[in-house]
Amino acid sequence: MADINLGVGGANSAVAGGYEIDNSLKFEPDNSEYFNKTFGSAGNRKTWSYSCWIKKTELFSSNGGALISAYPDVNNRLKIAFSQHKIQVFGKVSGSTTVNVRTNRLYRDTSAFYHILVVFDTTQGTAANRVKIYTNGVLEDSFDQTTYPSQNTDEEVGNSSAHYIGQRGDGSSDFYAGYITEINYVNGQALEPTEFGEFDEDSGIWKPKAYTGSYGTNGFYLDFENSGSLGADSSGNGNNFTLNNITAADQATDTPTNNFATLNPLGENTGSAAITEGATKIDNSGTASWETAYSSIGVTSGKWYAEVTPQLGSFNTNFGIVNFDTAIHDGSTYNNAGYWLGNFDSGSSIYYYFNGSGAGSIVVNVSAGVVIGLALDLDNNTLDFYVNGSQNKQATSLPSGTYGFIADVQGTGGPYIQCNFGGYTVNTISSAASDANGYGTFEYAPPTGYNALCTKNLAEFG
């Protein structure tokens, strides 16, 4: 089956009213971030439903991304995870593989949220009904692996054993990369997707809905709304999870009901670059080549704001805006792009560029931790640079087109750029400023009339 993107993008977030999800949690494999909990007693191991909303931000060639895993040991385990960009339910009992169901569908949309529901019920007489996988409310019916559990088999999820979210459980495998929210694990019930979501009457987009039923033994609900207790179970069962390498700084406002721009790892020239930290950081991993990433959302109108913090040193860290319609990468920079670009060189100056041609220095003696604000006005075709909150330079008469933000790194010292589109940033924020609608978390307040690049703002201004 072809790579089909069913992720929830702008249309979903444009729906007025309805159920709102305020927070998600960012997981980063490089930091070995995950949750774990060992239940005190066994629940129902034959029948359960696991629902979550996810936004992937890194694409692994083989395995990567355990959404839940029960792993007491290598011979007795069960996981829901990504395998070769597909959803897989895999389990063993006493060393023998008892279940291996994997979709043909490829999950490679890094710009939007998916709703994943796995329904497990080994009491069913028909083998194919014992494991069901739904994507955005639609039942998957095409698989490349179809080993179903025997009838009435007790599998490991729901047992009195160690359960993990964000990794397999062996401490080295299947670390998840991206955002996750609205985790509902319902023990003892095989539920329909309509318990967790619904199709919008006007747009037809699958959107979140509050689950109002019971959770059963060992059931839990994680919404990540309390930054001081991110592992807290809100189901009423008290099944709180332990955080591992996760702090309050990993809480995000990038959610299925307000999807923010991130860096797109499927972009123009990211062959050896690392796109990490919820797709807000690009690092060229020490190679000398130019590596580039675009924002995952492009716009043709409105006023938009983002911030970048580049690493300073003997290399280039470029940033700015790019015209998706005309940009051409020539191996070292962009031409015919219709954009202005800032460039750090040797850690002392910002240079001014247009279509790949230098146009002079605009700031000197910049220091580590500098925050560059980018204020893009596509109603008047201008771009303003702000340095630590102060306006520094304006570009005018931008060519028409579809624009996004861009980050570009080059050098042998492993240069990086940390971006902040408002939904999450690895930068330490001291001011927590938002746009006029209250969206985004920035170090400096966006200029009057400028907005975070997210789907709620796109619905109003885009």
Side-chain angles (χ1 to χ4, degrees), residues 290-344:
W290 286 88
E291 302 295 343
T292 304
Y294 299 164
S295 62
S296 59
I297 297 176
V299 285
T300 58
S301 62
K303 298 179 180 181
W304 309 101
Y305 180 77
E307 293 176 342
V308 295
T309 299
Q311 183 188 22
L312 306 182
S314 299
F315 32 68
N316 299 313
T317 52
N318 301 339
F319 49 87
I321 57 171
V322 63
N323 189 327
F324 292 164
D325 300 331
T326 60
I328 299 174
H329 195 279
D330 66 7
S332 61
T333 188
Y334 281 83
N335 291 304
N336 301 321
Y339 69 96
W340 298 81
L341 189 67
N343 175 33
F344 279 76

CSV table of all heavy atoms in Angstrom, one decimal, residues 290-344:
chain,number,residue,atom,x,y,z
A,290,TRP,N,25.9,21.3,3.8
A,290,TRP,CA,24.8,22.1,4.2
A,290,TRP,C,23.6,21.2,4.4
A,290,TRP,O,23.3,20.3,3.7
A,290,TRP,CB,24.5,23.1,3.1
A,290,TRP,CG,25.4,24.2,3.0
A,290,TRP,CD1,26.6,24.3,2.2
A,290,TRP,CD2,25.3,25.5,3.6
A,290,TRP,NE1,27.2,25.5,2.4
A,290,TRP,CE2,26.4,26.3,3.2
A,290,TRP,CE3,24.4,26.1,4.5
A,290,TRP,CZ2,26.7,27.6,3.7
A,290,TRP,CZ3,24.6,27.4,4.9
A,290,TRP,CH2,25.7,28.1,4.5
A,291,GLU,N,22.9,21.4,5.5
A,291,GLU,CA,21.7,20.7,5.8
A,291,GLU,C,20.6,21.6,6.2
A,291,GLU,O,20.8,22.6,6.9
A,291,GLU,CB,21.9,19.7,7.0
A,291,GLU,CG,23.1,18.7,6.8
A,291,GLU,CD,22.8,17.8,5.6
A,291,GLU,OE1,21.7,17.6,5.2
A,291,GLU,OE2,23.8,17.1,5.2
A,292,THR,N,19.4,21.4,5.6
A,292,THR,CA,18.3,22.3,5.7
A,292,THR,C,17.0,21.7,6.0
A,292,THR,O,16.7,20.5,5.7
A,292,THR,CB,18.1,23.0,4.3
A,292,THR,OG1,19.4,23.6,3.9
A,292,THR,CG2,17.1,24.1,4.3
A,293,ALA,N,16.1,22.4,6.7
A,293,ALA,CA,14.8,21.9,7.0
A,293,ALA,C,13.8,23.1,6.9
A,293,ALA,O,14.1,24.2,7.3
A,293,ALA,CB,14.7,21.3,8.4
A,294,TYR,N,12.6,22.9,6.3
A,294,TYR,CA,11.6,23.8,6.3
A,294,TYR,C,10.6,23.6,7.4
A,294,TYR,O,10.5,22.5,8.0
A,294,TYR,CB,10.8,23.7,5.0
A,294,TYR,CG,11.5,23.8,3.7
A,294,TYR,CD1,10.9,23.4,2.5
A,294,TYR,CD2,12.7,24.5,3.6
A,294,TYR,CE1,11.5,23.5,1.3
A,294,TYR,CE2,13.3,24.6,2.4
A,294,TYR,CZ,12.8,24.1,1.2
A,294,TYR,OH,13.4,24.3,0.0
A,295,SER,N,9.8,24.6,7.6
A,295,SER,CA,8.7,24.4,8.6
A,295,SER,C,7.6,23.5,7.9
A,295,SER,O,7.5,23.5,6.7
A,295,SER,CB,8.0,25.8,9.0
A,295,SER,OG,7.5,26.5,7.8
A,296,SER,N,6.9,22.8,8.7
A,296,SER,CA,5.9,21.9,8.2
A,296,SER,C,4.6,22.6,7.7
A,296,SER,O,3.8,21.9,7.1
A,296,SER,CB,5.5,20.9,9.3
A,296,SER,OG,5.0,21.6,10.5
A,297,ILE,N,4.5,23.8,8.0
A,297,ILE,CA,3.3,24.6,7.5
A,297,ILE,C,3.8,25.8,6.7
A,297,ILE,O,4.7,26.5,7.1
A,297,ILE,CB,2.4,25.1,8.7
A,297,ILE,CG1,1.9,23.9,9.5
A,297,ILE,CG2,1.3,26.0,8.2
A,297,ILE,CD1,1.1,24.3,10.8
A,298,GLY,N,3.1,25.9,5.5
A,298,GLY,CA,3.4,27.1,4.7
A,298,GLY,C,2.2,28.0,4.6
A,298,GLY,O,1.0,27.5,4.8
A,299,VAL,N,2.4,29.3,4.3
A,299,VAL,CA,1.3,30.2,4.3
A,299,VAL,C,1.4,31.2,3.1
A,299,VAL,O,2.5,31.4,2.6
A,299,VAL,CB,1.3,31.1,5.6
A,299,VAL,CG1,0.7,30.3,6.8
A,299,VAL,CG2,2.7,31.6,6.0
A,300,THR,N,0.3,31.7,2.7
A,300,THR,CA,0.3,32.7,1.6
A,300,THR,C,-0.2,34.1,2.0
A,300,THR,O,-0.2,35.0,1.2
A,300,THR,CB,-0.6,32.2,0.4
A,300,THR,OG1,-2.0,31.9,0.9
A,300,THR,CG2,-0.1,30.9,-0.1
A,301,SER,N,-0.8,34.2,3.2
A,301,SER,CA,-1.3,35.4,3.7
A,301,SER,C,-1.2,35.5,5.2
A,301,SER,O,-0.8,34.4,5.8
A,301,SER,CB,-2.7,35.7,3.3
A,301,SER,OG,-3.6,34.7,3.8
A,302,GLY,N,-1.4,36.6,5.8
A,302,GLY,CA,-1.4,36.8,7.3
A,302,GLY,C,0.0,37.2,7.8
A,302,GLY,O,0.9,37.4,7.0
A,303,LYS,N,0.0,37.4,9.1
A,303,LYS,CA,1.3,37.8,9.8
A,303,LYS,C,1.7,36.8,10.8
A,303,LYS,O,0.9,36.4,11.7
A,303,LYS,CB,1.0,39.2,10.5
A,303,LYS,CG,0.6,40.3,9.5
A,303,LYS,CD,0.4,41.6,10.3
A,303,LYS,CE,0.0,42.7,9.3
A,303,LYS,NZ,-0.2,44.0,10.0
A,304,TRP,N,3.0,36.3,10.7
A,304,TRP,CA,3.4,35.1,11.4
A,304,TRP,C,4.7,35.4,12.1
A,304,TRP,O,5.6,36.1,11.6
A,304,TRP,CB,3.5,33.9,10.5
A,304,TRP,CG,2.2,33.8,9.7
A,304,TRP,CD1,2.0,34.2,8.4
A,304,TRP,CD2,1.0,33.3,10.2
A,304,TRP,NE1,0.7,33.9,8.0
A,304,TRP,CE2,0.1,33.4,9.1
A,304,TRP,CE3,0.6,32.7,11.4
A,304,TRP,CZ2,-1.2,32.9,9.2
A,304,TRP,CZ3,-0.7,32.3,11.5
A,304,TRP,CH2,-1.6,32.4,10.4
A,305,TYR,N,4.9,34.8,13.3
A,305,TYR,CA,6.1,35.0,14.1
A,305,TYR,C,6.7,33.7,14.6
A,305,TYR,O,6.0,32.7,14.9
A,305,TYR,CB,5.7,35.8,15.4
A,305,TYR,CG,6.8,36.1,16.3
A,305,TYR,CD1,7.7,37.1,16.0
A,305,TYR,CD2,7.0,35.4,17.5
A,305,TYR,CE1,8.8,37.4,16.8
A,305,TYR,CE2,8.0,35.7,18.4
A,305,TYR,CZ,8.9,36.7,18.0
A,305,TYR,OH,10.0,37.0,18.9
A,306,ALA,N,8.0,33.6,14.6
A,306,ALA,CA,8.8,32.5,15.1
A,306,ALA,C,10.1,33.0,15.7
A,306,ALA,O,10.5,34.2,15.4
A,306,ALA,CB,9.0,31.5,14.0
A,307,GLU,N,10.7,32.2,16.5
A,307,GLU,CA,12.0,32.6,17.1
A,307,GLU,C,13.0,31.5,16.8
A,307,GLU,O,12.7,30.3,16.8
A,307,GLU,CB,11.9,32.8,18.6
A,307,GLU,CG,11.1,34.0,19.0
A,307,GLU,CD,10.9,34.2,20.5
A,307,GLU,OE1,11.1,33.2,21.2
A,307,GLU,OE2,10.5,35.3,20.9
A,308,VAL,N,14.3,31.8,16.7
A,308,VAL,CA,15.4,30.9,16.5
A,308,VAL,C,16.5,31.3,17.4
A,308,VAL,O,16.8,32.4,17.6
A,308,VAL,CB,15.9,30.8,15.0
A,308,VAL,CG1,14.8,30.2,14.1
A,308,VAL,CG2,16.4,32.1,14.5
A,309,THR,N,17.2,30.3,17.9
A,309,THR,CA,18.5,30.5,18.7
A,309,THR,C,19.5,29.6,18.0
A,309,THR,O,19.5,28.4,18.2
A,309,THR,CB,18.3,30.0,20.2
A,309,THR,OG1,17.3,30.9,20.7
A,309,THR,CG2,19.6,30.2,20.9
A,310,PRO,N,20.5,30.2,17.3
A,310,PRO,CA,21.5,29.5,16.7
A,310,PRO,C,22.7,29.3,17.6
A,310,PRO,O,23.0,30.1,18.4
A,310,PRO,CB,21.9,30.3,15.5
A,310,PRO,CG,21.4,31.7,15.8
A,310,PRO,CD,20.5,31.6,17.0
A,311,GLN,N,23.4,28.2,17.3
A,311,GLN,CA,24.7,28.0,18.0
A,311,GLN,C,25.8,28.9,17.3
A,311,GLN,O,25.8,29.0,16.1
A,311,GLN,CB,25.2,26.5,17.8
A,311,GLN,CG,26.5,26.2,18.5
A,311,GLN,CD,26.9,24.8,18.2
A,311,GLN,OE1,26.5,24.2,17.2
A,311,GLN,NE2,27.8,24.2,19.1
A,312,LEU,N,26.7,29.4,18.1
A,312,LEU,CA,27.7,30.3,17.6
A,312,LEU,C,29.0,29.6,17.5
A,312,LEU,O,29.3,28.7,18.3
A,312,LEU,CB,27.9,31.5,18.5
A,312,LEU,CG,26.6,32.3,18.8
A,312,LEU,CD1,27.0,33.5,19.6
A,312,LEU,CD2,26.0,32.8,17.5
A,313,GLY,N,29.8,29.8,16.4
A,313,GLY,CA,31.1,29.1,16.3
A,313,GLY,C,31.6,29.3,14.8
A,313,GLY,O,31.1,30.1,14.1
A,314,SER,N,32.6,28.5,14.5
A,314,SER,CA,33.2,28.6,13.2
A,314,SER,C,32.5,27.8,12.2
A,314,SER,O,33.0,26.8,11.6
A,314,SER,CB,34.7,28.2,13.3
A,314,SER,OG,35.4,29.0,14.2
A,315,PHE,N,31.2,28.1,11.9
A,315,PHE,CA,30.4,27.5,10.9
A,315,PHE,C,29.3,28.4,10.6
A,315,PHE,O,29.2,29.5,11.1
A,315,PHE,CB,29.9,26.1,11.5
A,315,PHE,CG,29.7,26.1,13.0
A,315,PHE,CD1,28.7,26.9,13.6
A,315,PHE,CD2,30.5,25.4,13.8
A,315,PHE,CE1,28.5,26.9,14.9
A,315,PHE,CE2,30.3,25.4,15.2
A,315,PHE,CZ,29.3,26.2,15.7
A,316,ASN,N,28.4,28.0,9.7
A,316,ASN,CA,27.2,28.8,9.3
A,316,ASN,C,25.9,28.2,9.9
A,316,ASN,O,25.7,27.0,9.8
A,316,ASN,CB,27.2,28.8,7.8
A,316,ASN,CG,28.4,29.4,7.2
A,316,ASN,OD1,28.8,30.5,7.6
A,316,ASN,ND2,28.9,28.8,6.1
A,317,THR,N,25.1,29.1,10.4
A,317,THR,CA,23.8,28.7,10.8
A,317,THR,C,22.8,29.7,10.3
A,317,THR,O,22.7,30.8,10.8
A,317,THR,CB,23.7,28.7,12.4
A,317,THR,OG1,24.2,29.9,12.9
A,317,THR,CG2,24.5,27.5,12.9
A,318,ASN,N,22.2,29.4,9.2
A,318,ASN,CA,21.3,30.3,8.5
A,318,ASN,C,19.8,30.1,8.9
A,318,ASN,O,19.4,29.0,9.2
A,318,ASN,CB,21.4,30.1,7.0
A,318,ASN,CG,22.8,30.3,6.5
A,318,ASN,OD1,23.6,31.0,7.1
A,318,ASN,ND2,23.1,29.7,5.3
A,319,PHE,N,19.0,31.1,8.8
A,319,PHE,CA,17.6,31.0,9.2
A,319,PHE,C,16.9,32.1,8.5
A,319,PHE,O,17.5,33.1,8.0
A,319,PHE,CB,17.5,31.1,10.7
A,319,PHE,CG,18.2,32.3,11.3
A,319,PHE,CD1,17.6,33.5,11.3
A,319,PHE,CD2,19.5,32.1,11.7
A,319,PHE,CE1,18.3,34.6,11.8
A,319,PHE,CE2,20.2,33.2,12.2
A,319,PHE,CZ,19.6,34.5,12.3
A,320,GLY,N,15.6,32.0,8.4
A,320,GLY,CA,14.8,33.0,7.7
A,320,GLY,C,13.5,32.4,7.2
A,320,GLY,O,12.8,31.6,7.8
A,321,ILE,N,13.2,32.8,5.9
A,321,ILE,CA,11.9,32.3,5.3
A,321,ILE,C,12.3,31.8,3.9
A,321,ILE,O,13.3,32.1,3.3
A,321,ILE,CB,10.9,33.4,5.2
A,321,ILE,CG1,11.4,34.6,4.4
A,321,ILE,CG2,10.4,33.8,6.6
A,321,ILE,CD1,10.4,35.7,4.1
A,322,VAL,N,11.5,30.9,3.4
A,322,VAL,CA,11.7,30.3,2.1
A,322,VAL,C,10.4,30.3,1.3
A,322,VAL,O,9.3,30.1,1.9
A,322,VAL,CB,12.3,28.9,2.2
A,322,VAL,CG1,11.3,28.0,2.9
A,322,VAL,CG2,12.7,28.3,0.9
A,323,ASN,N,10.5,30.6,0.0
A,323,ASN,CA,9.3,30.5,-0.9
A,323,ASN,C,9.3,29.1,-1.4
A,323,ASN,O,10.1,28.7,-2.2
A,323,ASN,CB,9.5,31.5,-2.0
A,323,ASN,CG,8.3,31.6,-2.9
A,323,ASN,OD1,7.5,30.7,-3.0
A,323,ASN,ND2,8.0,32.8,-3.4
A,324,PHE,N,8.3,28.3,-0.9
A,324,PHE,CA,8.1,26.9,-1.3
A,324,PHE,C,8.0,26.8,-2.9
A,324,PHE,O,8.3,25.8,-3.4
A,324,PHE,CB,6.9,26.3,-0.7
A,324,PHE,CG,7.1,26.1,0.8
A,324,PHE,CD1,6.0,25.8,1.6
A,324,PHE,CD2,8.3,26.2,1.5
A,324,PHE,CE1,6.1,25.6,3.0
A,324,PHE,CE2,8.5,26.0,2.8
A,324,PHE,CZ,7.3,25.7,3.6
A,325,ASP,N,7.4,27.8,-3.5
A,325,ASP,CA,7.1,27.7,-4.9
A,325,ASP,C,8.3,27.8,-5.8
A,325,ASP,O,8.3,27.3,-6.9
A,325,ASP,CB,6.1,28.8,-5.3
A,325,ASP,CG,4.8,28.7,-4.5
A,325,ASP,OD1,4.4,27.6,-4.1
A,325,ASP,OD2,4.2,29.8,-4.3
A,326,THR,N,9.4,28.5,-5.4
A,326,THR,CA,10.5,28.8,-6.3
A,326,THR,C,11.8,28.4,-5.8
A,326,THR,O,12.8,28.5,-6.6
A,326,THR,CB,10.5,30.3,-6.6
A,326,THR,OG1,10.7,31.0,-5.4
A,326,THR,CG2,9.2,30.8,-7.3
A,327,ALA,N,12.0,27.9,-4.6
A,327,ALA,CA,13.3,27.7,-4.0
A,327,ALA,C,14.0,26.6,-4.8
A,327,ALA,O,13.5,25.6,-5.1
A,327,ALA,CB,13.2,27.3,-2.6
A,328,ILE,N,15.3,26.8,-5.0
A,328,ILE,CA,16.2,25.8,-5.6
A,328,ILE,C,17.5,25.7,-4.8
A,328,ILE,O,18.1,26.7,-4.5
A,328,ILE,CB,16.6,26.2,-7.1
A,328,ILE,CG1,15.3,26.3,-7.9
A,328,ILE,CG2,17.6,25.2,-7.6
A,328,ILE,CD1,15.6,26.8,-9.3
A,329,HIS,N,17.8,24.5,-4.3
A,329,HIS,CA,19.0,24.3,-3.5
A,329,HIS,C,20.2,23.9,-4.5
A,329,HIS,O,20.0,23.0,-5.2
A,329,HIS,CB,18.8,23.3,-2.5
A,329,HIS,CG,19.8,23.3,-1.4
A,329,HIS,ND1,21.0,22.7,-1.6
A,329,HIS,CD2,19.8,23.8,-0.1
A,329,HIS,CE1,21.8,22.8,-0.5
A,329,HIS,NE2,21.1,23.5,0.4
A,330,ASP,N,21.3,24.7,-4.4
A,330,ASP,CA,22.4,24.4,-5.3
A,330,ASP,C,23.5,23.7,-4.6
A,330,ASP,O,24.6,23.6,-5.2
A,330,ASP,CB,22.9,25.7,-6.0
A,330,ASP,CG,23.5,26.6,-4.9
A,330,ASP,OD1,23.7,26.3,-3.8
A,330,ASP,OD2,23.8,27.8,-5.3
A,331,GLY,N,23.3,23.1,-3.4
A,331,GLY,CA,24.3,22.4,-2.7
A,331,GLY,C,25.0,23.2,-1.6
A,331,GLY,O,25.6,22.6,-0.7
A,332,SER,N,24.9,24.5,-1.6
A,332,SER,CA,25.5,25.3,-0.6
A,332,SER,C,24.5,26.3,0.0
A,332,SER,O,24.6,26.7,1.2
A,332,SER,CB,26.7,26.1,-1.1
A,332,SER,OG,26.4,26.9,-2.1
A,333,THR,N,23.6,26.8,-0.8
A,333,THR,CA,22.6,27.7,-0.3
A,333,THR,C,21.4,27.7,-1.3
A,333,THR,O,21.3,26.8,-2.2
A,333,THR,CB,23.1,29.1,-0.1
A,333,THR,OG1,22.2,29.9,0.5
A,333,THR,CG2,23.5,29.7,-1.5
A,334,TYR,N,20.4,28.5,-1.0
A,334,TYR,CA,19.2,28.5,-1.9
A,334,TYR,C,19.2,29.7,-2.8
A,334,TYR,O,19.6,30.8,-2.5
A,334,TYR,CB,18.0,28.6,-1.0
A,334,TYR,CG,17.6,27.3,-0.4
A,334,TYR,CD1,18.2,26.8,0.8
A,334,TYR,CD2,16.7,26.5,-1.0
A,334,TYR,CE1,17.9,25.6,1.3
A,334,TYR,CE2,16.4,25.2,-0.4
A,334,TYR,CZ,17.0,24.8,0.7
A,334,TYR,OH,16.7,23.6,1.2
A,335,ASN,N,18.7,29.5,-4.0
A,335,ASN,CA,18.6,30.5,-5.0
A,335,ASN,C,17.2,30.5,-5.5
A,335,ASN,O,16.4,29.6,-5.4
A,335,ASN,CB,19.6,30.3,-6.2
A,335,ASN,CG,21.0,30.5,-5.8
A,335,ASN,OD1,21.3,31.6,-5.3
A,335,ASN,ND2,21.9,29.5,-6.0
A,336,ASN,N,16.8,31.6,-6.1
A,336,ASN,CA,15.4,31.8,-6.6
A,336,ASN,C,14.4,31.5,-5.6
A,336,ASN,O,13.3,31.0,-5.9
A,336,ASN,CB,15.2,30.9,-7.9
A,336,ASN,CG,16.1,31.2,-9.0
A,336,ASN,OD1,16.5,32.3,-9.2
A,336,ASN,ND2,16.6,30.1,-9.6
A,337,ALA,N,14.7,31.8,-4.4
A,337,ALA,CA,13.8,31.5,-3.3
A,337,ALA,C,12.9,32.6,-2.9
A,337,ALA,O,11.9,32.4,-2.3
A,337,ALA,CB,14.6,31.0,-2.0
A,338,GLY,N,13.3,33.8,-3.2
A,338,GLY,CA,12.4,35.0,-2.9
A,338,GLY,C,12.4,35.2,-1.4
A,338,GLY,O,11.3,35.5,-0.9
A,339,TYR,N,13.5,35.0,-0.7
A,339,TYR,CA,13.5,35.2,0.8
A,339,TYR,C,14.7,35.9,1.2
A,339,TYR,O,15.7,35.9,0.5
A,339,TYR,CB,13.3,33.8,1.5
A,339,TYR,CG,14.6,32.9,1.4
A,339,TYR,CD1,15.5,32.9,2.4
A,339,TYR,CD2,14.8,32.1,0.3
A,339,TYR,CE1,16.6,32.1,2.3
A,339,TYR,CE2,15.9,31.3,0.2
A,339,TYR,CZ,16.8,31.3,1.2
A,339,TYR,OH,17.9,30.5,1.1
A,340,TRP,N,14.6,36.4,2.4
A,340,TRP,CA,15.8,37.0,3.1
A,340,TRP,C,16.3,36.1,4.1
A,340,TRP,O,15.5,35.5,4.8
A,340,TRP,CB,15.4,38.4,3.7
A,340,TRP,CG,15.0,39.4,2.7
A,340,TRP,CD1,13.7,39.5,2.1
A,340,TRP,CD2,15.7,40.4,2.1
A,340,TRP,NE1,13.6,40.5,1.2
A,340,TRP,CE2,14.9,41.1,1.2
A,340,TRP,CE3,17.0,40.9,2.2
A,340,TRP,CZ2,15.3,42.2,0.4
A,340,TRP,CZ3,17.4,41.9,1.4
A,340,TRP,CH2,16.6,42.6,0.5
A,341,LEU,N,17.6,36.0,4.3
A,341,LEU,CA,18.1,34.9,5.2
A,341,LEU,C,19.2,35.5,6.1
A,341,LEU,O,20.1,36.3,5.6
A,341,LEU,CB,18.8,33.8,4.3
A,341,LEU,CG,19.2,32.6,5.0
A,341,LEU,CD1,18.0,31.8,5.6
A,341,LEU,CD2,20.0,31.7,4.0
A,342,GLY,N,19.1,35.2,7.4
A,342,GLY,CA,20.2,35.6,8.3
A,342,GLY,C,21.3,34.6,8.3
A,342,GLY,O,20.9,33.4,8.2
A,343,ASN,N,22.5,34.9,8.5
A,343,ASN,CA,23.6,33.9,8.5
A,343,ASN,C,24.6,34.3,9.6
A,343,ASN,O,25.2,35.4,9.6
A,343,ASN,CB,24.3,33.9,7.2
A,343,ASN,CG,25.5,33.0,7.1
A,343,ASN,OD1,25.5,32.0,7.8
A,343,ASN,ND2,26.5,33.4,6.4
A,344,PHE,N,24.8,33.4,10.6
A,344,PHE,CA,25.9,33.5,11.5
A,344,PHE,C,27.2,33.0,10.9
A,344,PHE,O,27.2,31.9,10.4
A,344,PHE,CB,25.6,32.8,12.8
A,344,PHE,CG,24.7,33.5,13.7
A,344,PHE,CD1,23.3,33.6,13.4
A,344,PHE,CD2,25.1,34.2,14.8
A,344,PHE,CE1,22.5,34.3,14.3
A,344,PHE,CE2,24.3,34.9,15.7
A,344,PHE,CZ,22.9,34.9,15.4
